[in-house]
Amino acid sequence: MALNGKIAVVTGAAQGIGRAITELLLQNGAKVALLDANKTNGESLKEVLDKLFGEQTTLFLHCNVESEEQIKAAFQKTLGTFGRIDILCNNAGILNEEEWEKTISINLAAVVRTTYMALEHMNKMTGGQGGVIVNTASMAGLGPLKCCPVYTATKHGVVGFTRAMAAASTAAGYGIRFNAICPGLVKTEMLSSLSNKLGQFSHLAEETNTIIADKKMLNVTEVADCLLELVTDETKNGEALQVRCNGKKYMTFPVFT
Ligand SMILES: NC(=O)C1=CN([C@@H]2O[C@H](COP(=O)(O)OP(=O)(O)OC[C@H]3O[C@@H](n4cnc5c(N)ncnc54)[C@H](O)[C@@H]3O)[C@@H](O)[C@H]2O)C=CC1
Ligand SMILES: CC/C=C\C[C@H](O)/C=C/C=C\C=C\C=C\C(=O)[C@@H](O)C/C=C\CCC(=O)O
């Protein structure tokens, strides 16, 4: 799928992996609506992007993905400005084992909420033009990370939801591909603020701390490159792409027969 002229919505776009995804989509000719709960970061990124790509190519929308109302307003504004939505990247996420209900709300419930909102506009069965949805999961969506059980649960949920939606889309003719990206540790603010977010599990973070100490972390651009592959390669649907600092790998799962 060529990206020239395509319209993307990226959540958690103001910094980190979301910012890298946004920049790569823009470099490849897409227009992007950046949704983020951090107004300050979002507005200052918009100023940077205006200079690099032109004012008409992006829209910053202050949006907390926990709010159905704010997501609806953001989609309406995106459609009003750009006319269509072809790509959704559900990327916003937090890691906070103390505020575990909020972690479930943002990392999993909001992915479902935003996906269903996008379906209303993208589903070919209801007048949409199809497209692709890529969800930022994690390696913690493929196996257990003992220092963050709830984060692990949400990311397993994201992988399961993505794969089930891909199967539903194929069976029901939505014309939408669904894929998940599963990165290892990535150099972002999420990692730098990790130590005070693990609560009762903070003493179990030794593997994570070793990876960080050994500097075996991914750069955000490496994650964005893999995400671009999931967006542009039309053969990819229902995939979970693991990416770590020694390479990437499409995961295989048991199938129901
Ligand atoms: N950093 C890492 O090691 C890894 C991160 N991930 C996932 O990648 C995604 C992005 O994480 P990072 O870029 O590392 O984090 P980050 O903390 O640098 O950026 C997250 C962005 O999401 C926004 N956000 C948070 N809650 C929000 C909400 N309720 N509504 C709207 N926006 C919200 C923040 O304002 C921020 O701009 C997350 O889903 C995370 O779980 C996955 C694997 C590894
Ligand atoms: C504590 C959680 C922090 C961030 C959240 C993130 O979503 C979770 C990631 C979960 C697991 C990541 C594991 C990453 C592992 C690696 O990348 C290592 O295996 C290092 C990889 C290769 C090293 C090759 C070498 O030895 O040179």
Side-chain angles (χ1 to χ4, degrees):
M1 177 173 117
L3 290 187
N4 219 12
K6 299 288 186 208
I7 308 302
V9 172
V10 179
T11 71
Q15 66 178 41
I17 295 170
R19 176 177 177 158
I21 292 169
T22 297
E23 289 173 345
L24 194 56
L25 291 171
L26 288 165
Q27 282 159 19
N28 282 273
K31 295 183 178 172
V32 183
L34 295 80
L35 276 53
D36 205 290
N38 188 324
K39 194 161 184 275
T40 311
N41 282 0
E43 286 177 348
S44 66
L45 176 57
K46 165 81 178 135
E47 280 177 28
V48 173
L49 297 177
D50 284 353
K51 291 192 187 102
L52 290 171
F53 301 100
E55 278 180 37
Q56 311 305 321
T57 60
T58 58
L59 196 57
F60 170 67
L61 299 166
H62 184 216
C63 173
N64 179 349
V65 292
E66 291 181 277
S67 159
E68 171 102 15
E69 205 176 292
Q70 289 182 29
I71 294 171
K72 191 170 188 172
F75 273 71
Q76 289 306 336
K77 184 74 185 167
T78 303
L79 289 164
T81 307
F82 296 134
R84 53 187 286 155
I85 296 169
D86 306 289
I87 300 161
L88 167 65
C89 300
N90 281 310
N91 169 78
I94 62 165
L95 194 167
N96 194 323
E97 293 296 314
E98 287 194 316
E99 292 186 27
W100 60 267
E101 284 160 312
K102 196 173 176 65
T103 299
I104 294 171
S105 171
I106 295 173
N107 291 12
L108 183 55
V111 171
V112 176
R113 185 179 299 117
T114 312
T115 298
Y116 287 171
M117 190 75 73
L119 228 55
E120 288 180 23
H121 306 288
M122 295 169 71
N123 186 351
K124 280 190 175 172
M125 301 310 289
T126 53
Q129 290 164 307
V132 57
I133 297 182
V134 182
N135 298 324
T136 309
S138 162
M139 268 177 62
L142 302 170
L145 197 56
K146 63 179 182 282
C147 63
C148 39
V150 172
Y151 181 83
T152 296
T154 63
K155 294 303 184 178
H156 274 69
V158 170
V159 171
F161 177 68
T162 307
R163 298 181 62 236
M165 286 303 296
S169 180
T170 302
Y174 298 165
I176 303 171
R177 294 182 291 111
F178 291 83
N179 294 302
I181 187 145
C182 300
L185 301 182
V186 190
K187 273 174 242 165
T188 69
E189 205 168 296
M190 178 182 275
L191 274 197
S192 41
S193 62
L194 191 64
S195 54
N196 54 352
K197 300 283 171 59
L198 299 177
Q200 62 183 306
F201 305 102
S202 53
H203 63 297
L204 300 176
E206 71 275 7
E207 291 147 328
T208 309
N209 290 334
T210 304
I211 294 171
I212 295 171
D214 292 349
K215 300 193 168 50
K216 287 175 182 163
M217 290 174 289
L218 291 156
N219 294 310
V220 289
T221 52
E222 295 173 276
V223 180
D225 285 342
C226 289
L227 182 131
L228 190 68
E229 179 173 307
L230 293 171
V231 169
T232 54
D233 184 342
E234 297 194 25
T235 68
K236 303 299 183 213
N237 187 33
E239 298 288 355
L241 176 57
Q242 175 184 256
V243 49
R244 54 207 292 186
C245 60
N246 57 355
K248 65 180 181 185
K249 176 172 145 194
Y250 284 94
M251 303 308 294
T252 55
F253 296 91
V255 279
F256 297 132
T257 51

